[in-house]
């Protein structure tokens, strides 16, 4: 790629894009200023007025708002599907269905999607698949070997890894690349080279960090599952999780993000637990 003008990329942003595409096994990647931008730019790259879109019911809530409030203005309709639908998604496809959007595991509730089953159906119908792969990062889920066309990431989380960058990335299979590159350019998306530099440096230790998150998340999940206050631990790496078999089949690891469901307790007791934590602080995100 040639350096022409900052908006179109710099040597540092090109390097980061190349590293991300290589890590996930994609053709090319582009950077955007946030994880949310990776979702909106990817969707806008494939949808036209009159199209229909299928979105997993458990997506990151701002993805849903973008579909309901923004895409609706362009006469694009959306249906939310059960993330556990697997290959039966075929029954939800309409003549105007253009995109299937997945996020696995689902935000907050951690349902693991049968991505190969969904992408197989999508291919048969000429439908583009987009996966929010933030939880796994390019290390723990290889989207393109599971048939995904476009993988989107909040680089704000594990890719940059130190709570000091907000960034997104869109990684594409070869046949999806032209649409994404064109839309990215038309919408004037770019990131500064300093943020790209910091993220490139973080990626050098991504595997060390993620393997530690995997080990510690599993240990903590196992410990929490023994606690009498905890009704359920929503962690796909634990054998009792309903999505464990799919996770074991398709994923190469788990990051440190999972949820717990508590037995009913008073609001005061929950507040005392959260406010009394010494190792964890309350945060607005997981970056
Ligand atoms: C699964 C997922 N995707 C995308 C995003 C959006 O990332 P950003 O905050 O960089 O816009 C988030 C943020 O929490 C997320 O959890």
């Amino acid at each position: 790629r040639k350096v022409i003008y900052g908006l179109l990329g710099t040597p540092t942003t090109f390097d980061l894009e190349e590293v991300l595409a290589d890590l996930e096994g994609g053709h090319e990647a582009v950077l955007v200023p946030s994880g949310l931008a990776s979702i909106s730019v990817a969707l806008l790259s494939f949808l036209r007025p009159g199209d229909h879109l299928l979105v997993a019911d458990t997506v990151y809530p701002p993805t849903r708002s973008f579909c309901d409030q923004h895409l609706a203005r362009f006469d694009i309709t959306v249906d939310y599907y059960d993330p556990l639908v697997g290959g039966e998604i075929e029954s939800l496809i309409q003549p105007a269905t253009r995109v299937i959007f997945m996020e696995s595991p689902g935000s907050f509730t951690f349902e693991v999607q049968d991505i190969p089953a969904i992408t197989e159906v999508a291919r048969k119908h000429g439908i583009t698949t987009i996966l929010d792969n933030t939880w796994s990062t390019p290390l723990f889920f290889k989207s393109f070997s599971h048939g995904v066309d476009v993988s989107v990431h909040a680089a704000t989380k594990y890719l940059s890894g130190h709570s000091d960058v907000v960034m997104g990335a869109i990684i594409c299979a070869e046949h999806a690349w032209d649409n994404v590159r064109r839309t990215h350019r038309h919408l004037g998306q770019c990131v500064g080279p300093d943020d790209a530099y910091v993220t490139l440096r973080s990626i050098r230790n991504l595997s060390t960090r993620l393997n530690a998150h995997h080990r510690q998340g599993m240990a903590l999940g196992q410990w929490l599952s023994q606690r009498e206050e905890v009704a359920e631990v929503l962690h796909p790496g634990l054998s009792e999780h309903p999505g464990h078999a799919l996770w074991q089949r398709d994923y190469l690891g788990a990051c440190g993000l999972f949820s717990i469901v508590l037995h009913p307790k008073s609001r005061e007791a929950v507040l005392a637990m959260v406010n009394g934590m010494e190792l964890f602080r309350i945060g607005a995100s997981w970056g």
Side-chain angles (χ1 to χ4, degrees):
R1 294 215 211 154
K2 276 205 226 114
V3 180
I4 301 167
Y5 180 58
L7 173 66
L8 306 178
T10 61
T12 324
T13 61
F14 293 155
D15 278 355
L16 178 55
E17 288 165 348
E18 200 179 313
V19 165
L20 291 173
D22 273 2
L23 276 180
E24 196 158 342
H27 171 64
E28 294 269 7
V30 277
L31 303 177
V32 284
S34 68
L36 184 54
S38 72
I39 295 162
S40 53
V41 171
L43 285 168
L44 288 171
S45 299
F46 297 96
L47 291 164
R48 283 177 301 192
D51 282 349
H52 172 249
L53 162 71
L54 284 167
V55 176
D57 208 10
T58 46
V59 280
Y60 170 62
T63 304
R64 205 178 180 105
S65 310
F66 177 72
C67 296
D68 291 344
Q69 292 165 33
H70 196 87
L71 294 180
R73 292 169 50 217
F74 300 100
D75 192 25
I76 295 163
T77 52
V78 54
D79 278 319
Y80 294 95
Y81 64 88
D82 175 354
L84 302 178
V85 71
E88 286 170 31
I89 199 158
E90 191 152 25
S91 65
L92 305 176
I93 291 173
Q94 304 177 7
T97 307
R98 211 63 64 211
V99 170
I100 298 177
F101 190 97
M102 303 170 281
E103 181 185 320
S104 183
S107 274
F108 307 119
T109 44
F110 292 87
E111 292 83 354
V112 180
Q113 294 198 249
D114 190 343
I115 292 172
I118 295 176
T119 57
E120 192 185 329
V121 169
R123 281 205 171 189
K124 200 169 109 192
H125 291 268
I127 293 170
T128 300
T129 50
I130 304 175
L131 168 69
D132 186 332
N133 198 26
T134 301
W135 186 86
S136 300
T137 82
L139 283 194
F140 284 167
F141 185 80
K142 303 292 181 187
S143 300
F144 303 99
S145 53
H146 292 94
V148 172
D149 298 313
V150 179
S151 166
V152 296
H153 291 269
T156 315
K157 318 295 178 192
Y158 289 105
L159 294 178
S160 59
H162 294 72
S163 294
D164 50 8
V165 172
V166 176
M167 193 193 289
I170 309 174
I171 306 172
C172 298
E174 190 169 0
H175 55 271
W177 172 237
D178 280 348
N179 279 37
V180 170
R181 179 169 53 182
R182 196 179 320 114
T183 309
H184 179 264
R185 195 165 286 187
H186 288 162
L187 293 176
Q189 302 284 303
C190 69
V191 308
D194 289 346
D195 282 353
Y197 165 74
V198 168
T199 306
L200 259 176
R201 203 174 54 175
S202 297
I203 284 186
R204 288 178 196 271
N205 55 42
L206 179 64
S207 132
T208 310
R209 285 185 287 114
L210 271 185
N211 285 314
H213 282 299
H214 175 105
R215 281 195 308 277
Q216 289 168 1
M218 295 283 280
L220 200 55
Q222 272 151 3
W223 179 79
L224 282 162
S225 63
Q226 306 303 317
R227 298 287 309 185
E228 54 98 6
E229 303 89 336
V230 176
E232 214 181 333
V233 181
L234 306 178
H235 187 312
L238 298 183
S239 54
E240 60 271 26
H241 187 273
H244 182 70
L246 281 181
W247 174 81
Q248 217 168 21
R249 185 191 71 185
D250 295 342
Y251 288 72
L252 303 173
C255 70
L257 186 82
F258 63 94
S259 295
I260 55 171
V261 180
L262 295 173
H263 289 298
K265 292 275 172 198
S266 68
R267 182 177 157 74
E268 290 67 39
V270 174
L271 287 179
M273 179 192 79
V274 174
N275 289 330
M277 285 182 180
E278 289 170 12
L279 296 177
F280 294 89
R281 283 186 297 163
I282 300 172
S285 186
W286 40 298

